Amino acid sequence: MLKLIINGRQVTAKNGMTVLQAAQEAGIYIPTLCADPDLEPHGGCRLCIVEVEGMRDMPTACTTTVSDGMVVNTETEAVNKARRTVIDLLISDHPMDCLTCVKNQRCELQEVAAYLGITERHLPMTITERPVDDSNPFFTLDHNYCILCQRCTRTCDEVTVVNAVEIINRGYDSKVSTFGDKPLMESICKSCGECVVRCPVAALVPKNNIIPTSEVETTCPYCGVGCMMHLGIRDDKIISVKGSRNSQANNGRLCVKGRYGIADFVHHPQRLTEPLIRKNNVLQEANWDEALDIVTEKLSGYSCDQIAVIASAKCTNEENYIVQKFARTVLGTNNIDHCARL
Amino acid sequence: MLTVAHLEGSVQSNFKKQLDSILLNFKQDRGNLIPILQQVQHELGYLPGEAMQAIADFLHLSSSTVYSVSTFYTQFKLVPSGRNVVRVCRGTACHVRGSASLLRDIERRLGIKPGETTADREHSLETVACIGACALAPVMIINDDVYGRMTTTDAGKALGNYRANKETEMKP
Amino acid sequence: MKTENNFNPPEQVLNATDRPRIVVGTATCGRASGAMKVLKTIGDELKRHDIDADVTEVGCIGLCFAEPLVDIIKPGKPRITYGELTPQKISSLIEDYLINDNPRPDLALGTIGEGSIEGIPRLFEIPVLRSQVRITLRHCGHIDPEKINDYISVGGYKGLEKVLTEMTPQQVIDEVRTSGLRGRGGAGFPTATKWQFCYNAPGNQKYIICNADEGDPGAFMDRSMIEGDPHAVIEGIAIAAYAIGASEGYIYIRAEYPLAVKRVLFAIKEAEAKGFLDENILGSDFSFHLHVKEGAGAFVCGEETALMASIEGKRGMPRPRPPFPAQSGLWGKPTNINNVKTLATVPIIIDRGGKWYSQFGTEKSRGTSIFALTGKITYMGLVEVPLGITLHDIIHDIGGGVPNGKKLKAVQTGGPSGGCLPANMANLPVDYEELARAGSIMGSGGMVVMDEDTCMVDVARFFISFTRSESCGKCVPCRLGTKQMLDILENICSGKGKPGDLELLEDLAQSIKVSSLCGLGQTAPNPVLTTLRYFREEYEEHLKYHHCRAVVCKELVTYSIIGEKCPGCGLCVRECPVGAITFIGKKKPVILDETKCTRCGACYSICRLGAVEIK
């Protein structure tokens, strides 16, 4: 453990921590737009600059590691003046339609601007109409709102290792795009939405933006990885999905199926919610006791090796384990397979 | 706007061989990305989409990553240039000695802006940050020939020598 | 002392043997001035007259204003340098001098070496060269850069041999510390301290990088150095590698310098063949491999961390420091990066001693520095001067002052990261501290002279336009700040400036300076801040009166025809792309319609009679 002083307060931090992490852990707010706990430090937005005694320039808290006896000031006039210029520059190149923006009240740019007391625009608008990539069925990429923090491209590189989105061109002409500057749906993008989750503004937003009234934590039913997720509920319907950090299996991450495929699947009118039994050539709803009775009765008419079991990828690993145990010890067959192998 | 140009059908079969023989000289190491792009552009004159994709596969990178690097550096051309590449040096020494009006004049004569190619694919116009021949400012380069101490009138004359079809008159 | 410090090369390279020797400068400047045609003519003429002579190609001696340059050395005669040659002039010169023994003083610039020739001054006593102290450039223009034996014959690779046989790495670092050598790439960080950091850093694999990504528009010192004396650079790199413990090295060089790339690649091959590079150099345990990486056109790659990203095959985006390259550089390994000129100076420091080198220059800025003197100056070229010399001495004594009777207005040093200093600061000594105090920087050595025809607001716009397009885009202040500053400057230059613009510009510039990620952004505002500081009245004239005193800002000037001077020849009528000029008959002045005029300047440049006036 190291001891340092932030804004006159003694703070302890672990070796290797950044100044930003140490401050956050001590409950000291330092504004930032490009830092993300899952991503490598970037140092691009320049909002987390601080003053460190004995250091020449103003370093960024997100890229500076703590050292014992370090004296940090996060709120000096010089620091805040530079931060205000950064926000002035960002909002001069960003639409001013907060009230009707889907990210209103959830926008990190708005939050930082408010923190710095910015109530008016000081610089001429530089923004011109930029194209919107609407090709993806689950989310929209609107370059007008993009502040080029690169959280999306870094996520696509460091978290998902797909590298579908990258920064193309350079300087003021930089933009988030794909190979050949093609729409997302024509790229190698897997639509996992990890970038959408990390976008601080309204550049990458889900197409469905209704806010849930309650949340339920559960395990994703799509495969055996066992990702934990928070289902957002409103009016007894699942309307959103968020990865849960409570599970080591996914640590907050989800894939396209889990993130965007749950609500449609769960609420689909054709989804089977009760067992069906064919009576007089018509499938009819039944209860589990009836269904299991029929299965028991029919299975007992076959010898062990005449039976094969195919397990489902939509079961959890634990459920699949039970299925193979059941096949081997109860049914007495080794004819067991799994649909994910096909 | 930068997008990706694709190879014309006629060169496609030869292209694969050409590319493979270039890649043969390189290890599959990310550090070789820029040298490979330079070599491919040297051979083909530009970086077609197919080449960037093949280089990405060779280096186990995503195609977007290769595209991202290609669009960062001004050396890389994503579309074929004209038969004659006219480059006007915009270094400080050249600027102080009138390269801004030289450039304006060439833009006017060719009817294109820097980064563009004439409709007949005869000329491409580019600016270059500095070629380091500052003592000869202002400097213009056509293909590999360096022209120093240029005036707008001299530039017009020089340009005229690089037209395949001398019949069509250059704008005065 | 001066002549001694100009290091006249030893006999075997300088003098003719039993037959005449012709030396042609074929660096980029020379080529652009027609050196290759002159070279071809020499070959043809020698053949035609059946003269047996050696022809050698050399790099640039720095007298760019007089290119193409040819030296002729006849047996028993001093070497004569001739300038501004053409194929016609060289063929008559060959006939006159080699056959008829007339040295043609009218074409000669000067003589080098022992002896003299009537009517021709000694080259190193002509004003351009007299005040120079050519240490780093001592071989340029004298030896054949494509012959390693030329370099060896003038004492080349003696420094490397010395460190490998007599010195420990720490002793090498200490020797460089004694010399007081500071980084010649711009910031002026003490070279020995930098090496020490890397030497002290733990790790088996270390790298050395030679930064030859000379991106400053208006600078060509590194190009000339590599084209003229590539082995000095290679030797310097090898010595530095030994000092810090690097086994691999890179020269990162601009692709815009094809000749320099070609020459350095060739030089590396020669050095490898002679055992100055690769395994067990000169029989020692020291092995070092040197590679060349070509840049791909990005100014920001001159920044250390961006340069390393580029070598790693990535976009040239800088990253915050610390960690410094000495701790975690190329591929995460300890790395040392020095500029071409810094490294090229190392061999002579080792050879003659750090103490010897430290006698030149000032207390804090030791040694000499190379400047590319260009712009509105009579003798453009490459000059090497002891640090501490005044701007006035460089501009007037060496550069011959501003031509055409115009007045000096400003000197720009340090390229897009530097600033414009006004004429009344000409007595400023040129060293790291003094230039920084004045708001500029030493930079890598570009020095652009500006006269009264230069608009300082336009110069600021020019530099910001450059940094805007070269900004990598990673950090907000540089990406958006340079765009905002450029917009404001363009408004001012086109008469659309608003009250408060100058204060806004100043405010933005200060914030960008302190909050940008890398050196590019941190120094990008310098041209704006210095012009605002020293030429504020020019800004105010543009802003308040829509007046550009240098008649440069196109939207603020008007074109008119001076009736008395115009004979109505009609040339401009044909030249005008928008039909703004009307022909009304021979011997009658043409009429210019101001409402149609786009101020392109075509009429002005075509008119030989000065009948077009710009106000």
Side-chain angles (χ1 to χ4, degrees), chain A residues 18-260:
Chain A
T18 65
V19 172
L20 181 66
Q21 286 166 334
Q24 282 170 341
E25 230 160 72
I28 298 165
Y29 175 74
I30 299 177
T32 173
L33 285 172
C34 68
D36 184 287
D38 298 330
L39 303 174
E40 291 293 318
H42 183 61
C45 78
R46 315 304 294 166
L47 282 163
C48 70
I49 50 170
V50 293
E51 281 185 22
V52 177
E53 276 180 23
M55 277 176 94
R56 207 155 38 112
D57 310 315
M58 295 192 276
T60 39
C62 69
T63 59
T64 309
T65 44
V66 290
S67 59
D68 208 29
M70 201 178 221
V71 181
V72 183
N73 282 300
T74 70
E75 284 293 326
T76 67
E77 186 41 43
V79 156
N80 276 327
K81 183 173 182 298
R83 287 175 182 161
R84 277 194 292 272
T85 305
V86 169
I87 295 295
D88 278 341
L89 287 165
L90 282 173
I91 60 177
S92 72
D93 204 55
H94 188 90
M96 297 286 262
D97 57 358
C98 295
L99 196 61
T100 53
C101 175
V102 293
K103 275 288 187 78
N104 192 23
Q105 305 286 321
R106 293 178 294 153
C107 168
E108 293 179 35
L109 176 59
Q110 213 176 30
E111 186 187 324
V112 175
Y115 176 77
L116 294 171
I118 290 174
T119 51
E120 62 180 320
R121 202 161 50 76
H122 297 97
L123 296 170
M125 288 299 264
T126 49
I127 189 170
T128 47
E129 184 88 15
R130 291 173 195 147
V132 178
D133 180 354
D134 205 23
S135 65
N136 189 292
F138 309 117
F139 52 84
T140 309
L141 169 55
D142 187 338
H143 297 288
N144 291 292
Y145 292 90
C146 179
I147 56 168
L148 290 166
C149 66
Q150 295 195 37
R151 281 204 229 171
C152 53
T153 56
R154 287 150 61 214
T155 300
C156 206
D157 176 28
E158 297 168 29
V159 176
T160 63
V161 203
V162 172
N163 294 94
V165 282
E166 287 272 15
I167 301 292
I168 65 161
N169 308 332
R170 74 174 181 216
Y172 185 73
D173 305 316
S174 302
K175 77 187 243 201
V176 171
S177 196
T178 63
F179 177 52
D181 201 10
K182 295 272 165 52
L184 283 167
M185 280 314 270
E186 291 174 36
S187 77
I188 52 172
C189 170
K190 310 278 187 267
S191 303
C192 70
E194 285 296 322
C195 55
V196 180
V197 174
R198 289 180 180 78
C199 181
V201 291
L204 278 160
V205 282
K207 289 197 167 163
N208 177 359
N209 271 298
I210 309 164
I211 295 170
T213 51
S214 64
E215 274 186 359
V216 175
E217 190 169 30
T218 186
T219 306
C220 178
Y222 269 111
C223 78
V225 172
C227 298
M228 299 271 284
M229 52 176 33
H230 297 282
L231 301 178
I233 313 291
R234 182 158 166 169
D235 199 17
D236 273 346
K237 288 235 161 74
I238 300 169
I239 52 147
S240 66
V241 179
K242 218 163 69 183
S244 165
R245 290 201 170 259
N246 296 333
S247 152
Q248 288 193 349
N250 60 318
N251 196 22
R253 293 170 53 187
L254 290 174
C255 73
V256 57
K257 292 191 221 170
R259 192 182 315 277
Y260 299 114

Side-chain angles (χ1 to χ4, degrees), chain C residues 357-398:
Chain C
Y357 185 77
S358 72
Q359 68 178 297
F360 304 100
T362 64
E363 201 193 327
K364 283 190 164 173
S365 302
R366 299 279 183 196
T368 58
S369 192
I370 304 171
F371 292 95
L373 192 58
T374 60
K376 302 292 183 70
I377 183 111
T378 309
Y379 302 126
M380 280 186 272
L382 215 56
V383 304
E384 182 171 353
V385 289
L387 288 164
I389 189 173
T390 63
L391 285 170
H392 175 276
D393 288 353
I394 298 181
I395 296 164
H396 292 276
D397 297 354
I398 298 177

Side-chain angles (χ1 to χ4, degrees), chain C residues 166-305:
Chain C
E166 300 171 19
M167 296 170 87
T168 64
Q170 187 59 54
Q171 283 172 327
V172 177
I173 296 172
D174 290 341
E175 196 63 53
V176 172
R177 183 172 293 118
T178 307
S179 78
L181 181 66
R182 294 170 65 175
R184 297 286 187 249
F189 195 79
T191 305
T193 312
K194 209 171 179 180
W195 289 9
Q196 191 76 58
F197 282 145
C198 199
Y199 173 75
N200 292 349
N204 298 326
Q205 178 68 63
K206 291 179 188 177
Y207 294 99
I208 174 133
I209 298 173
C210 169
N211 185 348
D213 189 48
E214 185 173 53
D216 281 15
F220 54 94
M221 304 75 53
D222 297 350
R223 172 181 68 65
S224 261
M225 189 68 228
I226 293 175
E227 285 177 358
D229 193 11
H231 287 289
V233 183
I234 293 170
E235 186 183 354
I237 297 172
I239 293 171
Y242 174 75
I244 62 164
S247 57
E248 297 282 329
Y250 291 91
I251 299 179
Y252 187 88
I253 184 168
R254 292 182 83 201
E256 287 91 336
Y257 289 172
L259 184 64
V261 173
K262 187 182 138 224
R263 286 197 172 153
V264 77
L265 281 171
F266 185 79
I268 289 175
K269 279 221 180 79
E270 280 194 307
E272 284 169 352
K274 289 263 180 194
F276 296 122
L277 289 175
D278 261 357
E279 299 297 326
N280 302 98
I281 295 172
L282 298 172
S284 71
D285 317 335
F286 176 60
S287 297
F288 174 65
H289 306 98
L290 185 57
H291 316 276
V292 170
K293 286 266 180 180
E294 281 183 57
F299 173 69
V300 68
C301 288
E303 199 275 345
E304 293 187 341
T305 58

Side-chain angles (χ1 to χ4, degrees), chain A residues 162-171 175 177-182 187-188, chain B residues 1-4 6 49-50 52-53 62-65 67-68 71-74:
Chain A
V162 172
N163 294 94
V165 282
E166 287 272 15
I167 301 292
I168 65 161
N169 308 332
R170 74 174 181 216
K175 77 187 243 201
S177 196
T178 63
F179 177 52
D181 201 10
K182 295 272 165 52
S187 77
I188 52 172
Chain B
M1 195 55 234
L2 291 170
T3 47
V4 166
H6 290 284
E50 289 88 340
M52 284 190 276
Q53 182 68 61
S62 97
S63 51
S64 303
T65 305
Y67 186 72
S68 163
T71 55
F72 183 85
Y73 296 98
T74 47

